[in-house]
Amino acid sequence: MIEVQNLTKAFGAVHAVDDVSFTVGKGEILGFLGPNGAGKTTTMRVLTGYLPATSGAAKIAGFDVTEQSLEVRRRIGYLPENPPLYPDMSVATYLDFVARIKGVPSDERAGRVDAALEMANITDKRKELIKRLSKGYKQRVGLAQALVHNPDVIILDEPTIGLDPKQIIEVRHLIKSLAGSHTIILSTHILPEVSMTCDRVVIINKGRVAAVDTPQNLTAQLKGAERVRLEGRAGVAPGGVAHDAEILALLQQVPGVRSVAMPPMDARRHFVATVECQPEYDDIRAALAAKVVGAGHELLELRSLRLSLEDIFLQLTTDETAAPGEEKRR
């Protein structure tokens, strides 16, 4: 449904988007992640026909975004970071206006406006002037305008900005409900939002794609940062209770341990340690358990810690860590 090949957008000597390629299948929800200035919004503006590409190609539903821009625009709904609202219009009048621009037939407009109001959960605001709405409601009106013509492709740039927690959950459910019948690109800085709604993730950094995969597969590729959480109680030896430094040194002796983070023990001799493993070692939990128990300490818990999407994001968007299979960028 969406094909992006070697897309580049330069502003003078600055490449805001640099040789970006990815695809989005029909009915798929793709999360688009990256730090500020990474090139996410520029990519979306190229896809929606707002900006021309410097080089490369992009197609939506088989239509080239540059050469067949009008055909592309008929098939997309776009919510930019700042919704394009007319504050002196009522909500329903504005949505009817958008539906006219998008070419919705006159006999279908009222039904499409009602459907968009319901999907964005703003039916009770249909007669309100947009300028009287809160920021959160204005954001939901912007979401409704992206949906009013029932587009094949929906491009959402930070759709939950300004929403309260309840509204955020509602929008997430709405986005999930649109999957299958619509293809969606969702740009957001809220990482749990991607985990909860998206099928795949594109992580972009400094204008280039750092990774494209499911969150689960990204975790597997970044196995080198696998961690283990260990919880125990220090035993009482003839020489007295072990100190923090002794427990720390004990864990660092286990082959495959890269580093150990451990706050001070509490008064009950309880300790918690997070062990980061070296990439060439598959699983060191058994060795850790044997070391702790063999030294006379109690083992209360031992479990692997899966990388969160935030961990993956940070690893792929910092200079110290390269993307899977790539050289470290200088």
Side-chain angles (χ1 to χ4, degrees), residues 64-77:
D64 187 275
V65 298
T66 301
E67 298 178 359
Q68 299 164 297
S69 178
L70 290 179
E71 292 295 334
V72 168
R73 295 180 196 197
R74 289 189 181 101
R75 289 162 174 82
I76 62 173

Side-chain angles (χ1 to χ4, degrees), residues 16-228:
V17 178
D18 189 4
D19 198 33
V20 165
S21 298
F22 62 89
T23 60
V24 191
K26 183 176 176 61
E28 186 179 16
I29 303 178
L30 181 78
F32 209 50
L33 294 175
N36 290 331
K40 304 186 304 300
T41 295
T42 301
T43 302
M44 290 186 167
R45 287 176 176 174
V46 172
L47 291 178
T48 56
Y50 183 82
L51 287 175
T54 303
S55 63
K59 292 183 178 181
I60 291 180
F63 296 98
D64 187 275
V65 298
T66 301
E67 298 178 359
Q68 299 164 297
S69 178
L70 290 179
E71 292 295 334
V72 168
R73 295 180 196 197
R74 289 189 181 101
R75 289 162 174 82
I76 62 173
Y78 178 39
L79 174 63
E81 190 171 353
N82 297 307
L85 306 178
Y86 290 92
D88 290 323
M89 283 184 171
S90 71
V91 172
T93 302
Y94 168 70
L95 293 178
D96 180 75
F97 169 70
V98 174
R100 288 171 183 261
I101 292 176
K102 293 293 186 177
V104 178
S106 57
D107 60 339
E108 297 179 15
R109 280 202 298 269
R112 290 305 313 159
V113 169
D114 289 342
L117 287 167
E118 184 174 351
M119 284 191 288
N121 198 15
I122 51 174
T123 301
D124 59 333
K125 303 293 183 182
R126 64 180 303 135
K127 295 182 179 180
E128 289 275 357
L129 292 180
I130 293 174
K131 66 183 178 183
R132 294 177 180 169
L133 298 177
S134 68
K135 182 179 179 181
Y137 273 107
K138 287 177 180 176
Q139 189 73 6
R140 293 164 83 173
V141 174
L143 181 59
Q145 67 80 28
L147 303 173
V148 70
H149 57 300
N150 194 29
D152 295 328
V153 175
I154 302 170
I155 298 178
L156 306 173
D157 195 356
E158 303 284 354
T160 57
I161 283 180
L163 303 185
D164 62 39
K166 182 175 182 294
Q167 293 170 338
I168 289 173
I169 292 172
E170 291 172 353
V171 170
R172 286 176 183 166
H173 288 162
L174 169 60
I175 293 171
K176 287 290 287 183
S177 72
L178 295 172
S181 56
H182 302 271
T183 302
I184 301 171
I185 295 182
L186 167 66
S187 170
T188 181
H189 288 89
I190 305 173
L191 299 176
E193 198 162 273
V194 174
S195 299
M196 295 176 187
T197 58
C198 298
D199 304 309
R200 285 191 305 132
V201 179
V202 171
I203 298 180
I204 188 170
N205 185 42
K206 296 181 181 178
R208 307 199 72 179
V209 171
V212 183
D213 216 325
T214 65
Q216 295 79 10
N217 286 345
L218 287 174
T219 300
Q221 290 181 49
L222 293 174
K223 190 176 181 181
E226 184 178 350
R227 292 171 297 167
V228 174

Side-chain angles (χ1 to χ4, degrees), residues 304-327:
S304 293
L305 295 176
R306 291 183 60 84
L307 279 173
S308 68
L309 189 56
E310 182 175 4
D311 294 326
I312 296 168
F313 177 82
L314 291 173
Q315 286 198 39
L316 292 175
T317 56
T318 56
D319 291 334
E320 287 75 19
T321 306
E326 293 186 358
E327 291 293 323

Side-chain angles (χ1 to χ4, degrees), residues 281-294:
Y281 286 80
D282 289 336
D283 192 344
I284 64 169
R285 287 176 296 175
L288 286 169
K291 196 72 170 178
V292 170
V293 174

